[in-house]
Amino acid sequence: MRVLPLLKLVRLSALPSALADVFGGMALAAALGPVFGVDHIGLDRLPWLLLATTGIYLGGMASNDVLHARKDGLLGKKRPIITGELTHKAANATMASLYLIGLVAAILAGCAVPAALLIALTLLYNWLARGRIVGVRVTQPLGLSVAAVAVIALCRALHVLLPLFAYLPAQFPPMRLLDTIAPLFAASVFVYFALVTTVSLFEDTGGGRKALHAVQILLMPVPLALPIVVLMRPGASPSFLLGVIAPLLIAAALLLGLWKALDVARESPTPPNLGKAVGTGIRGECLLMAAFALVLVPHQPWWGLCALAMYPLGRFLTRWISPT
């Protein structure tokens, strides 16, 4: 079995954005450590969290091709299953193996329950996103589309919280997290990916100028909400460069890149342009996590810098493997 078809199956170029989620989640755990009585967030669980993310995320990408094989064939997509580079059986085995690796790693990291829920949600999303096939025509009913957007956004919001769950003491009531910055952190990711996924719904067929313009407008406050709330908290005295200037510049760069990509897609809403906009949004998660990590723990800048480093890695891998 050749390696490149497997890498295409799992959309390897999108993985850096998922790894950035881990670094952002680690920054959130470090910021909230004093709240749940942990003075120092060690690195002992980080390798398992990275492996859990790799398995679950790539498994989810593989399940997309497995569940969408008939749809992709009708749309003429050059997926490995459709081109014959991979058999359906090999793709199924790859998907199951990756999910198993991710779940075992999550057990070792201490976040088995949310990880298992995440796997179930990725499967649900891919089932919803396959739409309906009538004869040789693929349709995407509005109800299924809305449900799919909500589920994938929930997947990503849950995903960024895995490190927090991994380090949360067993005796700490999870409901107390509602009084912290964690809900805004997760909600920002939820809204961000809901909007990016909305763009992806037009990727197969083109169109959606009005929706794309709405996405552009609605995206504007998303990367800025959490930094502004954190910086306005009583007693906040972050490092001016790392805790204020750097995250705001990164958030601005994210918005500028997305605006340009969506402008091109809106001017010419063809599947390739829409796909590029979605790819920009996926890679933009690295910038979102970098900005959030730096504003949350500017005294531990490595989390933000690690998330930021995932951005060029994602762009590099995109040269050979599409993230969508």
Side-chain angles (χ1 to χ4, degrees):
M1 189 185 300
R2 289 179 294 170
V3 173
L4 186 57
L6 281 174
L7 301 184
K8 290 180 180 178
L9 175 76
V10 300
R11 321 277 213 283
L12 186 68
S13 62
L15 178 61
S17 75
L19 299 178
D21 278 354
V22 176
F23 299 126
M26 289 294 292
L28 178 64
L32 295 183
V35 175
F36 49 78
V38 178
D39 295 327
H40 175 69
I41 299 295
L43 301 181
D44 54 318
R45 302 187 184 192
L46 179 60
W48 297 120
L49 285 166
L50 291 171
L51 183 59
T53 280
T54 299
I56 295 172
Y57 191 82
L58 297 186
M61 289 296 191
S63 73
N64 183 276
D65 274 23
V66 168
L67 293 175
H68 293 200
R70 189 181 173 199
K71 170 186 171 182
D72 291 344
L74 291 173
L75 294 173
K77 291 193 171 185
K78 303 299 182 182
R79 304 292 197 209
I81 297 175
I82 306 306
T83 60
E85 296 173 280
L86 277 180
T87 65
H88 209 285
K89 183 178 179 180
N92 264 307
T94 301
M95 175 190 72
S97 299
L98 286 167
Y99 274 146
L100 180 60
I101 289 169
L103 184 57
V104 171
I107 292 170
L108 295 171
C111 54
V113 173
L117 177 58
L118 184 57
I119 290 172
L121 287 171
T122 60
L123 289 168
L124 175 60
Y125 164 73
N126 285 318
W127 181 80
L128 291 168
R130 67 180 180 174
R132 288 180 183 165
I133 298 173
V134 181
V136 293
R137 184 166 169 263
V138 179
T139 63
Q140 189 70 39
L142 180 60
L144 285 180
S145 297
V146 172
V149 167
V151 170
I152 194 60
L154 181 59
C155 281
R156 207 73 194 221
L158 178 60
H159 183 242
V160 298
L161 296 178
L162 287 183
L164 182 60
F165 287 125
Y167 285 95
L168 202 65
Q171 68 275 14
F172 186 86
M175 293 300 292
R176 279 189 58 194
L177 291 175
L178 295 177
D179 298 325
T180 70
I181 202 71
L184 180 58
F185 188 100
S188 297
V189 174
F190 179 92
V191 174
Y192 180 83
F193 266 92
L195 293 171
V196 170
T197 307
T198 298
V199 178
S200 76
L201 294 177
F202 301 102
E203 192 179 345
D204 292 335
T205 56
R209 281 191 173 94
K210 290 183 178 179
L212 291 172
H213 187 58
V215 167
Q216 282 181 302
I217 301 302
L218 293 171
L219 271 170
M220 295 299 290
V222 176
L224 300 172
L226 185 135
I228 289 173
V229 168
V230 170
L231 294 174
M232 291 182 66
R233 286 186 304 184
S237 55
S239 161
F240 185 68
L241 178 60
L242 290 175
V244 181
I245 298 299
L248 292 180
L249 284 177
I250 292 170
L254 167 60
L255 288 172
L256 181 62
L258 280 170
W259 191 274
K260 286 183 176 180
L262 288 167
D263 251 355
V264 171
R266 192 155 58 94
E267 195 171 310
S268 178
T270 61
N273 285 340
L274 289 160
K276 288 178 182 177
V278 174
T280 299
I282 292 172
R283 290 191 299 275
E285 175 73 359
C286 304
L287 301 180
L288 189 70
M289 287 297 102
F292 286 4
L294 286 172
V295 80
L296 284 171
V297 283
H299 57 288
Q300 296 182 18
W302 47 86
W303 300 123
L305 294 176
C306 285
L308 189 61
M310 295 298 102
Y311 182 78
L313 178 59
R315 287 189 65 105
F316 176 75
L317 292 173
T318 302
R319 294 182 182 181
W320 295 279
I321 302 166
S322 171
T324 65

